[in-house]
Structure formats: C-alpha cells, structure tokens
Amino acid sequence: MDAIRRFEHEFRQRRKPRSRRAETHAEQNRQKKRARAEGQKHGSTKANVSVTSQNSSAHNPFAHDQRQVEAGPVNEKTLSRQDSANDEEMFDAEALLPASSTEMQLSSQPEDLDIETDRDSLVNASPSRIRSGVLFPKLDVEQAVMRYDMSNNPQINYNHVYKQKRKLEENWESGSYQSFQLPHRDHPEEAHRECVYTIQYSGNYLVSGSRDKTLRKWNLETQRLIGTPLTGHNASVLCLQFDEREDEDLIASGSSDTDVILWQFSTGKLVHRIPHAHGESVLNLKFDSRFLVTCSKDKTIKIWNRRELRPGDVDYPVRGVEGGGICPARIIDLRDMATRIDIERRLTAEEKAPLAPYTNIMILDTHNAAVNAIHIYENQLVSASGDRHVHLWNIHTGVRTAICRGHTKGIACVQYDGKRIVSGSSDNTIRIFDPVTQAEVACLKGHTRLVRTIQSAFGDLPGKREQLESEAGEIDGKYYEARLAGRLPTTTSARTRDRNAGSSDPRNIMALGAKLPPGGGGSRWGRIVSGSYDETIIIWKKHPTDGRWVKAHVLRQEEALRAAGGPLPSASDLAAQAQQQALNTARAQLAREQANLAALQNARAQAEAQANQNNSSQQRAVGGHTGGSVQSQTSSTVNAPHILHGPARP
C-alpha cells in the first residue's frame, strides 16, 4: 500500500495537465481503438480478454496483501491517454482498498466489490505475468487494479480504483452489509463449546480462541471449520495472532494457563510451546518477523526473538541503557564494542553462541497494573494497562519514550500507526493521543460500557509527519487569533474539562502545541471501528466541517444475530437433542419390535386355531362313518384287560 501511495504521489507531481481536446469522448474512442490495435499486434485477442475477465472480475488479486504491491515504471504518455476525466478527483491513495481489514469484514464484500485474492489465478498463472514477486494476471482492462502499457510496464488503473472506492464508500455511507455467523447453520456441531474470547481474520480466514481451551480455523467463504480444533492449552485461550503467508505460516496463542503456543497455520500442528511465559494469565500478544511480544496480568511485557540472534545482529537487544528494559544475564552488553572485530576478539565462544528462537531477551515492568494490550510498529512498542496509562517504548533498548494520560479507568485495547495512538477503555471512551507531546487530541463518547476492541485507519494522504504538524500549527494560530479577538473566554479550565471528539473549532480545542491536529488528522476517508460490552459496534467518521469524529453507523448484536438467522443451538442443546433423538430412535425400534412380536403371536394363534378347527372337522367326519366298530373295539378292550397286561400262562 505504501508503494502505491508513493507511486501515486510521485506521478501526480510530474504528470502534465491534459488539454481539453484530450478529454473529449471522440478522442478517447480513437485512443482506445489504437490501443486495441496495438494489443492485437502483441497477440492479445478479444476472446482471450473476455474469458479472463469473466474469471477475474470478481476478484482483486492486489488486495490480499497490501505489502506486496509494487508499481513499475510509468509511461506518462500512455497513462495520460487512458485516464478518465474523473482522475483529478482521485487524490486519495486509500481509494485502492478499504482502510483496514475490519472495514472489509463489516462491508461483507458485496457482489460488485469482491476484494479477495483469486487463489486459482495464483496457482495457474503464467510465469510471464510475475513482476517483482507480484502477480499481474491478464485481466479485463476495465476491471484490473494494475494494467500494462504497450511496453508491458504495469500501471495503476485509476478508472477502476476510483470506481472501487466510490462503491466502497457508498457501502459505508448506506450501512450496506450482510450478517452471518460461524459455523454455518447446517453444521452447529463445529461451534466452540463455550464462549469465544478472541478472534482475528485475514483474507478468507478467521481464527478464534475460546474458553473451551481450543483454537479453531474457519473458512469465511464456506463458513465451515477447517480441519479439527487446535488443542494444547489447559485453560481459556485469551489472545492470538496468525499470519497465513507461506514464509510465516504461524498462529501464536496465549492462555490463562500462562503458556504461549506456536502452531503451524497450514496444518494446525503444535510446533513450539513456551511454558510459563508469564507468572499469570497471558492477556495479549503480537508478533512481526523479528519479535514476539507478550503481556500479562503479572504487570509485565516480555520480548522474545523469533530467529536466531547473535551479538552484533541488528535486532540484538541493547543492554545497559539508562531507563532501559531488564535483560537476562545471557544478553551481552555491547555498548563498548564498536565493531564485529571487537565482538569476535573480546567475547568467548559461549558468549558468541546464538540465542535460540523464542528466547526471552527483555522484560518491561513499569506498569502498575495488568497490561491488557500491546501493539508493535516498526521499532516501537505501545502498551495499555489497567493503571489507566499508555506507554510507548523503544523495542531494542526498552526505554520508555512517552506516557499518555487521560483515561479515567483501565485501558482494554490500543492501536498505533506511528503517528497517533488510539485506545479504548473501561471509562466507555475512545481517545486519540499525540505520541510526541502525549497530548490528548480527541475523546469519542458513544458506548455505554467498556470499549473492548478498536480498529482505526486515518486515510493519510501521501506525505510525511511534517504535514500533520503544519496543520496542527495552523489550528493553534486560529485559536490565538480568536482569543485575541475576544471570541473566546479568558479561562481555559472549562474547555479543558469538556472533552470532545476532535473538533477544530477554536472554542473546542483541547490541547495547544500538539504535533497532531484535533482528531488526529487524516482524510475524510478515515474510519474508526469500536466494539463494546454494550453489544454494539460503532463506525466513526470525520465530520465534513470541523473534522470531529461522529457516529456513521451503530451495529447492534441482536440485530445482526437476527439477520443471520438467530442463535445457533448451544452445545448442551445439541447434546440434549442428540440424546432425545437417540431415545426416540430406541423407542421407535422397540415399538417396531413389539409390533413385529404381536403380529407373529397373532399369526401363530390364528394358525393354531385354524389347525384345531381342521382337526375337529376331520374327527366329526370320521365318527359319522365308523362309529359302531369303534365302540365294539373299545368295549372289548375294556372288558379284557388281562389279555393286555396279565402274565402269560402255560
């Protein structure tokens, strides 16, 4: 994203103004015809373009990983011909993509604005379409974020960028989104067995951690569980972070059991465990390519190396600095060793041995209560605590460079982008701080309970921090002008007590001399998304006149749940349903067996009755014809028993 911003800024500085004649439709049509003719010379056919556009129009292969986008050399003449009349409005590089991953989730990617990566195109694309490790598949020129000039140089498709931004902004303004829940309603058995404490999503994946001691990976497209639950923790999973890219392929999780576990994202395999990483529950963790940072209820922050570290490496901790962090004994003080030659000559073989991955290299312990949240930005680390303070640190030395005060209760979440700190607290507010002067430049009030999570993107235009400082200075000047003109009260105590959401009106300015303008600066594209225990999500945007943050939309949990089809059955409900179903099945089987037995007995009784009836009929028929003979034989037998039973005589 930064590369795109730099490219756009440099291009705008050197592009030549177009003549009015070049803006006419006739001229543009002639230019398109010439472009098509040149394309056919290079082997690009109309059929080929239509087929690829059908497969790729629903996907933006450059939105998946903003860090990979690179702009190639620019052919100004060609780009000038292809730009539309709307180009002059596209001064905002944030038009390329939504300001944050949270925004993408809330907008739910409507059908006409799919910003997912076309993974099939990544697998099947021709190698000739790879530029500097970035994939530029053949797309319809009206749909691609990047396109090629006649020299096969990639260029930004400003037409498409503008349209995408307009569609996305319309979704934000209208509150257009779709609700769904995990797991899919047809598979409630895939759900966590207890409440979910932590989630993160990226692209098409979401990972969740729960009180049921498991982590689960989800496919957002199918709303189905991927693989089996990840088991390994012995208590609630409180925090996690994952990176699905092949060079990382990692999930990190922290738990109430005080352990930190590293998992392979692609397979779910447990690859490393840090037992007893803290003395109490691990409340939050963050990692980048260099460090894993954890914080805990035990009031400490710990920094762990992710790669092997040797004395003299750029990320080797700096020990012994005044006010710095606490380093274990195995960390060598290198301050008096200026070169690697000194290190090689003065250290023993044991001291020069590399530190194994995930070794604790520093402890930060200046907070006075549980450390609830942390955030890494380049070589800086920001932390938020129940002691109501936000601390800013140098991640190499452990020196605390700033303390931001303002919240009246413990702080639950924090975010830092290098220019401003945004935090959410149990005092139900969101506050924005200037890390240079520690001044509070905005206080957003809207939630009625603890603010548990925030995501922010300020939509900064290309440029350096000096532009924000200049804007802040201009607003300070307007304040002093208004005061000299008598338009402001002589006392500032009332204004200081009355916190506001970042208005630039001189009557509402909360801090003078800050290096950030009121509200934290940024463009009209900026957004803050906050979630609270009051079961609402508030989307904040800038007011067009005075720049203060106002509510754009309020999303309520019960409404989202109802729109998603209502709550899924709980685990106990599922167990009861399964038990009842098994009982009903057993009862039905017993009833069938009893019915079969009754039918068999009935058939047997009928057969016996029929047999008896047949015997009786036969006996009556025989008695009618031979009754006298039978009687004579019977009488003879009775009157001469000795013939049958007596002994023989001589």
Side-chain angles (χ1 to χ4, degrees):
M1 192 64 177
D2 292 337
I4 293 179
R5 291 176 179 172
R6 290 195 299 271
F7 166 75
E8 183 185 36
H9 180 65
E10 294 172 0
F11 175 72
R12 287 171 54 244
Q13 295 296 326
R14 65 173 183 257
R15 70 179 297 181
K16 298 178 181 179
R18 294 171 293 184
S19 66
R20 188 172 185 81
R21 181 172 180 272
E23 299 292 346
T24 64
H25 292 291
E27 178 63 15
Q28 291 180 359
N29 289 336
R30 286 193 292 271
Q31 292 168 357
K32 289 180 180 179
K33 290 180 180 179
R34 288 196 296 270
R36 284 197 295 268
E38 290 293 330
Q40 291 176 356
K41 293 180 181 179
H42 288 79
S44 175
T45 64
K46 182 176 181 181
N48 187 30
V49 172
S50 64
V51 170
T52 55
S53 65
Q54 181 181 4
N55 293 330
S56 58
S57 60
H59 297 282
N60 178 353
F62 308 96
H64 181 61
D65 189 352
Q66 299 178 18
R67 292 165 291 187
Q68 292 182 345
V69 178
E70 300 178 10
V74 180
N75 185 318
E76 293 186 22
K77 183 176 179 181
T78 304
L79 186 58
S80 178
R81 290 200 312 267
Q82 294 173 343
D83 287 347
S84 68
N86 291 326
D87 288 344
E88 295 301 332
E89 300 178 42
M90 293 183 292
F91 58 90
D92 183 17
E94 286 292 323
L96 287 169
L97 292 170
S100 73
S101 59
T102 301
E103 296 177 16
M104 291 190 287
Q105 176 73 359
L106 293 171
S107 63
S108 191
Q109 304 162 6
E111 294 181 359
D112 59 349
L113 185 61
D114 191 344
I115 54 178
E116 290 296 329
T117 301
D118 187 350
R119 299 184 184 276
D120 292 335
S121 67
L122 293 175
V123 175
N124 302 319
S126 167
S128 64
R129 310 308 291 176
I130 304 298
R131 297 292 184 272
S132 301
V134 183
L135 181 66
F136 297 114
K138 279 189 174 182
L139 302 177
D140 188 308
V141 293
E142 294 299 325
Q143 297 297 328
V145 173
M146 304 295 291
R147 60 187 178 189
Y148 292 90
D149 61 13
M150 300 310 170
S151 301
N152 205 30
N153 296 319
Q155 299 174 342
I156 295 178
N157 185 345
Y158 284 93
N159 234 348
H160 179 64
V161 166
Y162 179 77
K163 292 177 181 178
Q164 293 286 83
K165 182 59 183 180
R166 286 293 298 270
K167 291 176 182 178
L168 184 58
E169 190 64 22
E170 288 172 1
N171 288 341
W172 279 104
E173 292 296 334
S174 64
S176 177
Y177 64 93
Q178 295 177 350
S179 297
F180 65 94
Q181 55 186 319
L182 301 173
H184 194 280
R185 299 195 64 83
D186 295 340
H187 301 276
E189 72 281 357
E190 296 178 350
H192 282 287
R193 297 295 178 258
E194 298 190 52
C195 56
V196 176
Y197 284 148
T198 177
I199 62 171
Q200 182 204 338
Y201 91 92
S202 174
N204 198 39
Y205 299 107
L206 183 144
V207 178
S208 57
S210 167
R211 187 179 176 183
D212 66 8
K213 308 176 187 178
T214 70
L215 293 88
R216 302 186 186 222
K217 296 191 302 178
W218 305 91
N219 183 315
L220 291 178
E221 183 176 354
T222 63
Q223 302 170 37
R224 295 292 308 278
L225 180 68
I226 301 174
T228 58
L230 279 59
T231 58
H233 283 294
N234 299 315
S236 302
V237 180
L238 303 180
C239 53
L240 64 87
Q241 182 185 345
F242 76 89
D243 191 335
E244 77 278 18
R245 296 175 300 171
E246 289 186 6
D247 57 339
E248 290 290 347
D249 196 20
L250 179 68
I251 303 174
S253 60
S255 168
S256 296
D257 62 11
T258 73
D259 290 356
V260 172
I261 296 181
L262 291 311
W263 318 76
Q264 188 176 27
F265 177 84
S266 58
T267 64
K269 178 182 177 182
L270 194 158
V271 295
H272 189 78
R273 181 191 293 269
I274 305 176
H276 306 296
H278 284 271
E280 296 190 56
S281 301
V282 181
L283 301 181
N284 201 359
L285 58 79
K286 289 290 184 291
F287 67 80
D288 61 13
S289 61
R290 308 163 299 166
F291 304 111
L292 167 68
V293 183
T294 59
C295 63
S296 170
K297 190 177 179 180
D298 65 10
K299 309 178 186 179
T300 67
I301 303 165
K302 293 188 178 182
I303 303 175
W304 317 75
N305 60 305
R306 290 198 54 211
R307 320 291 184 205
E308 283 191 350
L309 276 183
R310 291 177 171 81
D313 289 349
V314 65
D315 292 320
Y316 195 82
V318 180
R319 180 174 183 169
V321 178
E322 183 178 359
I326 302 172
C327 294
R330 56 182 170 272
I331 303 300
I332 309 300
D333 187 351
L334 303 177
R335 288 178 297 167
D336 59 346
M337 303 182 196
T339 65
R340 283 194 173 274
I341 296 177
D342 294 336
I343 294 173
E344 291 293 330
R345 185 176 67 252
R346 297 174 57 180
L347 296 184
T348 66
E350 183 179 356
E351 292 173 330
K352 289 185 290 185
L355 298 174
Y358 300 107
T359 298
N360 179 217
I361 59 177
M362 189 175 292
I363 301 174
L364 310 176
D365 65 348
T366 60
H367 279 293
N368 297 317
V371 185
N372 297 318
I374 50 179
H375 194 97
I376 303 173
Y377 180 80
E378 295 182 352
N379 293 325
Q380 293 178 298
L381 173 68
V382 65
S383 60
S385 169
D387 62 12
R388 310 177 186 180
H389 296 161
V390 175
H391 291 185
L392 189 64
W393 316 79
N394 182 301
I395 202 168
H396 288 118
T397 64
V399 173
R400 185 178 59 191
T401 58
I403 303 178
C404 298
R405 301 177 176 88
H407 283 291
T408 58
K409 292 185 179 180
I411 306 171
C413 50
V414 69
Q415 188 174 352
Y416 179 53
D417 64 359
K419 297 178 181 178
R420 73 279 288 176
I421 298 171
V422 186
S423 57
S425 166
S426 295
D427 62 13
N428 308 340
T429 67
I430 302 160
R431 305 197 186 217
I432 304 174
F433 296 96
D434 172 19
V436 177
T437 63
Q438 294 92 58
E440 179 187 329
V441 295
C443 178
L444 285 62
K445 300 178 181 179
H447 289 290
T448 58
R449 294 186 63 188
L450 178 149
V451 180
R452 185 64 184 87
T453 180
I454 52 173
Q455 290 287 331
S456 63
F458 285 74
D460 294 308
L461 299 176
K464 297 182 179 179
R465 186 183 176 88
E466 286 76 8
Q467 294 178 345
L468 294 173
E469 296 181 8
S470 176
E471 184 180 349
E474 291 177 2
I475 294 175
D476 285 353
K478 292 179 181 178
Y479 167 81
Y480 287 115
E481 289 177 3
R483 186 163 185 175
L484 290 174
R487 298 193 297 270
L488 299 178
T490 55
T491 178
T492 61
S493 58
R495 188 184 70 253
T496 303
R497 289 196 301 267
D498 185 18
R499 319 312 290 166
N500 69 85
S503 171
S504 59
D505 189 321
R507 295 171 296 181
N508 299 323
I509 293 176
M510 296 188 297
L512 296 173
K515 302 301 181 182
L516 284 177
S523 72
R524 65 187 181 95
W525 308 113
R527 294 290 188 278
I528 296 176
V529 181
S530 58
S532 167
Y533 279 4
D534 62 14
E535 297 189 353
T536 66
I537 295 174
I538 299 180
I539 302 173
W540 307 81
K541 70 174 183 179
K542 291 230 168 190
H543 193 277
T545 56
D546 61 3
R548 72 182 185 279
W549 292 96
V550 296
K551 296 179 183 179
H553 300 286
V554 179
L555 311 180
R556 304 185 185 280
Q557 170 69 14
E558 65 272 14
E559 296 174 359
L561 187 59
R562 186 165 54 250
L568 296 174
S570 65
S572 58
D573 292 338
L574 289 175
Q577 290 176 6
Q579 185 177 4
Q580 185 63 40
Q581 185 177 2
L583 181 60
N584 293 339
T585 302
R587 287 175 176 173
Q589 180 67 22
L590 179 61
R592 287 193 297 270
E593 292 177 355
Q594 290 176 344
N596 293 336
L597 180 60
L600 181 62
Q601 291 175 345
N602 187 29
R604 183 178 296 172
Q606 291 178 358
E608 291 177 354
Q610 184 66 37
N612 293 335
Q613 183 178 359
N614 293 339
N615 290 336
S616 299
S617 299
Q618 290 177 2
Q619 289 176 1
R620 285 196 297 272
V622 172
H625 294 286
T626 61
S629 299
V630 172
Q631 180 66 32
S632 175
Q633 182 180 1
T634 303
S635 299
S636 174
T637 302
V638 173
N639 294 329
H642 58 279
I643 298 175
L644 296 174
H645 303 287
R649 292 182 180 181

